[in-house]
């Protein structure tokens, strides 16, 4: 079975993770721009980060046979540094039209401060102006109200629910998100957010329409195989195969495919892995390692 | 110059793009003029990719001449429609000072993908503050991406006009390294200099030592500085070289106006009619 992990911060993961994902059937990932665990202080740090998302990281993923897409945005935490945020707002348009950028994201609220609100709205305007889908990060605290508010604001700025993925849902938020016509994404995270068991129960209750499963794996304790593991559990629990395909592959493709930057044809004809390739003169291999070179037909 | 260049580019993209695209560009230009800010400028530059095709510009001799009149050396022959639209937009950039201007362009250069880089570099002779952007050309020739290198070095009047001898010599040598056609470098003859000649001859020796071929175009850069001391090189070319190398050696000797070398040449009668450097370049590279 083929999977897409439509929310994973691969920049903070190892090459072992890429190998494990590919073996488990993950054919594509979407890496949302987010914060790095500590706040950046210069606009140049954002510029280099965004450049790596559309450049080096995509190349690195391709070296393990995985298609890498990304979203570009100013995350809510760093929106609280106003001077910096203003500069980042000038930078964002330069990246949003780049190849493989599938949405503005992940944006939204963290502490729900006035500055977070200001830059969430400014980026929704940008998404509308550039006709891009949006990935919304919902807050960990005051989640239910924060999620409702996020959807209100999206609609206030003229975005159709079908263009917006509301991420990090749980049992408390899913009904309203689906009822209002938004995409509802779930991050399967060890210990917190959502477990494969709870996810399976949600798909059993609500069906597969507009539900998207992701790992949200990052630099913290997280599991890059969350999507295939959840799919396996759903299968064990008797969830129909078509529902698994929709929630773990097709819905993400439909939601982010609206950008025009993500086509199924690209996923069905994976590039052959050739680890002899280089990106701006740099290879993923270290001294003495033997490159993996796939031959067609093997 | 800027206005005339804008006008020509606008005509070209209008002829070859859907009305929707041109209308969109007009609207963006209107917005930017009434309220110039970097967000609109950047957004428009990066979104042109969605509205304009990467299709060859349809050009006739009259258009090419017009470009040449607007900016001497401006060569549109390899441009595409999207590049023309992006360049048209770049020429809208308004800034009160070079510092401001540079800040915006530096950001574009730093975030550009390959096609955008080609556009940004090929536009060097057209910018408002062109005369202060030689640093940019030197940066451009450090790339390993052929298309980007070509945008600076080939069919572009900028390097010959603004680059220092050091940067210029690096560019020519790197063009040879990368197997680029030298005859497409503008004012190649005018910018020849003794340092360059020495570097090129050293390079030829290195290649010969490794039993690798040397482009016959190399001798064009050396010609005016050839003296008796280069006799062994010249003899090697005339005796062991292929047809084009022999032609190049003969041409270089003539240009050197060195008597000893010219006398030597008489010992090697050329069977074919004499070629010029451009023809040698075309025959070698195509
Ligand atoms: Zn995330």
């Amino acid at each position: 079975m083929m999977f897409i992990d439509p929310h994973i911060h691969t920049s903070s993961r190892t090459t072992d993770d890429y190998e494990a994902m590919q073996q488990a059937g993950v054919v594509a990932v979407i890496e949302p721009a987010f914060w790095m665990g500590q706040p950046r202080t210069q606009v140049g740090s954002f510029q280099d980060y965004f450049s790596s998302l559309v450049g080096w990281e995509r190349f690195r993923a391709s070296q393990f046979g995985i298609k890498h897409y990304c979203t570009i945005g100013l995350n809510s935490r760093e929106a609280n540094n106003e001077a910096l945020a203003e500069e980042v707002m000038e930078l964002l348009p330069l990246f949003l039209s780049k190849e493989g950028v599938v949405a503005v994201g992940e944006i939204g609220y963290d502490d729900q401060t006035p500055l977070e609100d200001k830059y969430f709205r400014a980026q929704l305007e940008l998404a509308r102006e550039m006709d891009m889908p949006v990935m919304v990060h919902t807050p960990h605290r005051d989640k239910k109200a924060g999620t409702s508010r996020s959807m209100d604001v999206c609609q206030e700025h003229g975005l159709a629910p079908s263009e917006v993925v509301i991420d990090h849902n749980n049992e408390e938020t899913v009904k309203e998100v689906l009822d209002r016509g938004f995409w509802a994404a779930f991050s399967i995270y060890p210990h917190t957010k959502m477990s494969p068991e709870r996810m399976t129960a949600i798909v059993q209750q609500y069906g597969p329409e507009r539900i998207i499963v992701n790992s949200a794996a990052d630099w913290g304790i997280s599991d890059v195989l969350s999507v295939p593991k959840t799919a396996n559990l759903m299968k064990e629990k008797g969830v129909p195969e078509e529902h698994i395909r929709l929630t773990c592959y097709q819905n993400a493709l439909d939601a982010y495919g609206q950008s025009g930057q993500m086509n199924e044809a690209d996923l069905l004809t994976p590039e052959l892995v050739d680890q002899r390739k280089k990106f701006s003169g740099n290879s993923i291999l270290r001294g003495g390692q033997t490159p993996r070179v796939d031959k067609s037909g093997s | 110059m800027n206005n005339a260049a804008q006008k020509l580019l606008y005509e070209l993209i209008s002829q070859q793009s859907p009305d929707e695209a041109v209308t969109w560009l007009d609207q963006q230009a209107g917005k930017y003029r009434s309220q110039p800010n970097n967000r609109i400028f950047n957004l428009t530059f990066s979104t042109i990719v969605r509205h304009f095709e990467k299709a060859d510009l349809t050009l006739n001799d009259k258009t090419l001449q017009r470009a040449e009149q607007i900016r001497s050396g401006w060569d549109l022959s390899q441009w595409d429609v999207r590049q023309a639209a992006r360049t048209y937009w770049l020429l809208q950039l308004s800034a009160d000072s070079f510092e401001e201007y540079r800040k915006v362009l530096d950001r574009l250069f730093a975030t550009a993908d390959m096609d955008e880089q080609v556009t940004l570099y090929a536009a060097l002779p057209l910018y408002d503050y062109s005369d202060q952007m030689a640093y940019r050309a030197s940066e451009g020739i450090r790339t390993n991406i052929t298309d980007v290198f070509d945008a600076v070095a080939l069919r572009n009047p900028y390097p010959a006009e603004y680059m220092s001898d050091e940067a210029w010599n690096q560019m020519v040598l790197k063009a040879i390294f990368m197997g680029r056609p030298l005859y497409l470098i503008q004012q190649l003859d005018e910018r020849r200099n003794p340092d360059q000649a020495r570097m090129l001859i050293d390079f030829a020796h290195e290649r010969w030592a490794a039993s690798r071929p040397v482009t016959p175009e190399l001798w064009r850069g050396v010609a005016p500085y050839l003296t008796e001391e280069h006799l062994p090189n010249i003899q090697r070319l005339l005796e062991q070289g292929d047809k084009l190398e022999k032609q190049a050696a003969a041409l270089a000797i003539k240009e050197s106006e060195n008597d000893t070398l010219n006398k030597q040449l008489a010992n090697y009668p050329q069977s074919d009619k004499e070629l010029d450097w451009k023809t040698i370049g075309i025959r070698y590279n195509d």
Side-chain angles (χ1 to χ4, degrees):
Chain A
M1 205 167 199
M2 294 202 304
F3 303 111
I4 294 173
D5 190 343
H7 187 145
I8 176 168
H9 301 280
T10 48
S11 296
S12 51
R13 309 298 309 198
T14 65
T15 51
D16 288 359
D17 288 337
Y18 270 129
E19 275 181 340
M21 281 192 283
Q22 198 220 10
Q23 279 162 16
V26 176
V27 294
V29 296
I30 298 175
E31 175 159 19
F34 198 48
W35 78 310
M36 309 286 285
Q38 69 178 38
R40 281 162 282 217
T41 58
Q42 319 274 338
V43 67
S45 307
F46 281 92
Q47 179 177 305
D48 293 340
Y49 174 60
F50 295 152
S51 291
S52 79
L53 293 184
V54 300
W56 170 250
E57 196 56 34
R58 177 172 316 148
F59 169 76
R60 204 168 74 101
S62 76
Q63 295 295 281
F64 298 91
I66 292 178
K67 294 273 176 199
H68 181 281
Y69 302 88
C70 69
T71 75
I72 296 287
L74 171 64
N75 65 83
S76 47
R77 285 167 183 262
E78 286 168 299
N80 288 303
N81 178 342
E82 192 169 15
L84 187 55
E86 281 301 319
E87 290 189 87
V88 177
M89 286 305 300
E90 285 183 7
L91 188 61
L92 295 178
L94 290 175
F95 285 97
L96 285 168
S97 292
K98 293 273 190 285
E99 198 185 328
V101 179
V102 297
V104 177
E106 52 187 303
I107 58 172
Y109 297 113
D110 185 43
D111 285 335
Q112 306 192 45
T113 65
L115 279 174
E116 289 174 17
D117 187 60
K118 176 180 172 184
Y119 290 107
F120 182 33
R121 288 172 185 275
Q123 291 183 90
L124 293 174
E125 283 298 313
L126 192 57
R128 203 171 48 91
E129 206 173 333
M130 298 187 75
D131 196 19
M132 304 268 303
V134 175
M135 179 195 283
V136 174
H137 163 96
T138 52
H140 305 282
R141 300 169 293 281
D142 194 15
K143 186 172 212 59
K144 196 159 185 231
T147 302
S148 302
R149 182 179 172 195
S150 301
M151 289 187 284
D152 294 344
V153 173
C154 286
Q155 287 182 304
E156 217 178 285
H157 285 272
L159 285 144
S162 59
E163 295 170 314
V164 181
V165 178
I166 303 293
D167 215 328
H168 313 318
N169 278 283
N170 61 24
E171 290 86 347
E172 295 298 306
T173 57
V174 57
K175 186 165 187 312
E176 187 190 342
V177 172
L178 291 175
D179 286 348
R180 292 176 68 168
F182 289 81
W183 300 89
F186 293 81
S187 302
I188 314 300
Y189 227 59
H191 314 312
T192 53
K193 289 180 184 160
M194 178 60 52
S195 68
E197 290 75 18
R198 285 161 62 197
M199 188 68 239
T200 303
I202 288 170
V203 173
Q204 283 170 330
Q205 184 179 345
Y206 291 94
E209 202 192 331
R210 278 181 286 114
I211 286 183
I212 295 172
V213 178
N214 65 56
S215 75
D218 56 15
W219 56 87
I221 297 170
S222 45
D223 186 351
V224 295
L225 298 182
S226 285
V227 176
K229 281 181 182 168
T230 304
N232 286 341
L233 185 71
M234 286 200 267
K235 198 170 173 193
E236 271 173 38
K237 300 274 184 185
V239 173
E241 196 132 324
E242 177 60 8
H243 293 191
I244 302 173
R245 195 183 72 83
L246 287 168
T247 54
C248 299
Y249 176 81
Q250 190 66 46
N251 289 346
L253 190 55
D254 291 346
Y256 295 107
Q258 297 179 87
S259 65
Q261 290 295 312
M262 195 177 182
N263 305 308
E264 183 158 37
D266 296 337
L267 306 185
L268 296 177
T269 51
E271 226 179 301
L272 294 171
V273 171
D274 184 351
Q275 297 185 342
R276 293 168 305 186
K277 283 191 186 164
K278 290 188 176 165
F279 177 84
S280 298
N282 292 310
S283 153
I284 53 150
L285 299 171
R286 291 295 168 264
Q289 291 176 341
T290 311
R292 173 179 152 195
V293 182
D294 291 353
K295 303 239 165 51
S296 59
S298 72
Chain B
M1 187 262 284
N2 185 317
N3 283 340
Q6 272 185 45
K7 190 159 171 284
L8 174 59
L9 290 169
Y10 188 82
E11 282 173 33
L12 291 172
I13 57 180
S14 302
Q15 284 160 14
Q16 277 185 261
S17 309
D19 292 346
E20 162 279 313
V22 181
T23 310
W24 171 79
L25 195 58
D26 290 342
Q27 283 167 354
Q28 296 301 109
K31 271 193 227 169
Y32 181 64
R33 277 187 209 119
S34 68
Q35 209 183 14
N37 68 57
N38 294 344
R39 181 180 170 280
I40 296 178
F41 186 81
N42 290 350
L43 188 151
T44 307
F45 180 78
S46 78
T47 313
I48 283 173
V49 66
R50 307 238 198 106
H51 297 271
F52 292 91
E53 293 290 320
K54 193 176 155 74
D56 289 348
L57 274 182
T58 312
L59 298 160
N60 54 37
D61 287 348
K62 230 181 113 199
T63 315
L64 291 170
Q65 280 164 18
R66 220 175 114 196
E68 171 67 34
Q69 276 161 11
I70 292 169
R71 172 68 171 88
S72 73
W74 186 18
D75 182 348
L76 284 166
S77 60
Q78 305 297 307
W79 283 39
D80 61 64
V81 177
R82 185 180 293 159
Q83 180 179 8
R86 281 177 171 150
T87 306
Y88 168 78
W89 185 255
L90 288 171
L91 298 183
Q92 309 289 312
L93 177 55
S94 76
D96 296 332
S97 65
F98 174 59
E99 296 319 307
E100 281 298 301
Y101 195 87
R102 175 180 175 163
K103 214 178 132 199
V104 178
L105 276 189
D106 280 353
R107 185 75 79 205
L108 294 189
F109 273 102
T111 59
D113 62 24
M114 195 186 78
D115 269 353
E116 289 169 336
Q117 284 189 57
V118 165
T119 298
L120 288 161
Y121 281 114
L124 274 173
L126 303 172
Y127 292 119
D128 282 349
Y129 294 92
S130 225
D131 54 340
Q132 295 178 65
M133 293 175 69
Y135 73 97
R136 204 24 101 181
S138 305
E139 183 68 37
I141 59 166
R142 280 195 276 275
T143 181
N144 287 323
I145 305 169
T146 306
D147 287 352
V148 177
F149 180 85
D150 286 0
V152 188
L154 308 187
R155 300 186 169 89
N156 191 338
Y158 195 86
E161 292 175 16
Y162 293 106
M163 272 186 171
S164 67
D165 273 354
E166 289 76 21
W168 170 267
N169 292 348
Q170 278 306 321
M171 184 186 89
V172 173
L173 194 61
K174 189 158 177 184
I176 295 175
F177 251 92
M178 292 173 78
R180 310 313 299 142
L182 295 197
Y183 71 95
L184 294 173
I185 298 177
Q186 295 191 7
Q187 298 191 53
L188 193 59
D189 291 343
E190 291 81 349
R191 289 292 309 258
R192 287 184 287 204
N193 61 74
D195 263 352
Q196 185 183 64
R198 183 197 49 76
M199 287 165 78
L200 294 179
I201 289 176
D202 285 352
F203 176 76
H205 289 163
E206 264 175 55
R207 299 281 288 207
W208 283 339
S211 307
R212 298 179 63 193
V214 176
T215 168
E217 287 193 286
L218 178 141
W219 303 102
R220 180 177 186 173
V222 175
Y225 305 99
L226 281 178
T227 63
E228 293 83 346
E229 84 178 277
H230 302 113
L231 194 57
N233 300 318
I234 292 301
Q235 275 171 334
R236 179 191 165 120
L237 282 178
L238 291 169
E239 284 163 17
Q240 302 169 34
D242 61 21
K243 229 185 202 171
L244 281 177
E245 285 181 301
K246 285 178 180 155
Q247 290 270 2
L251 195 51
I253 288 171
K254 288 209 171 113
E255 280 190 22
S256 77
E257 296 178 2
N258 178 289
D259 289 342
T260 316
L261 293 179
N262 269 290
K263 271 185 208 132
Q264 275 291 319
L265 187 57
N267 300 333
Y268 303 92
Q270 298 289 309
S271 49
D272 298 319
K273 86 170 182 32
E274 204 172 291
L275 303 177
D276 60 11
W277 285 120
K278 189 177 170 188
T279 314
I280 291 174
I282 292 172
R283 291 215 183 146
Y284 179 75
N285 291 289
D286 298 342

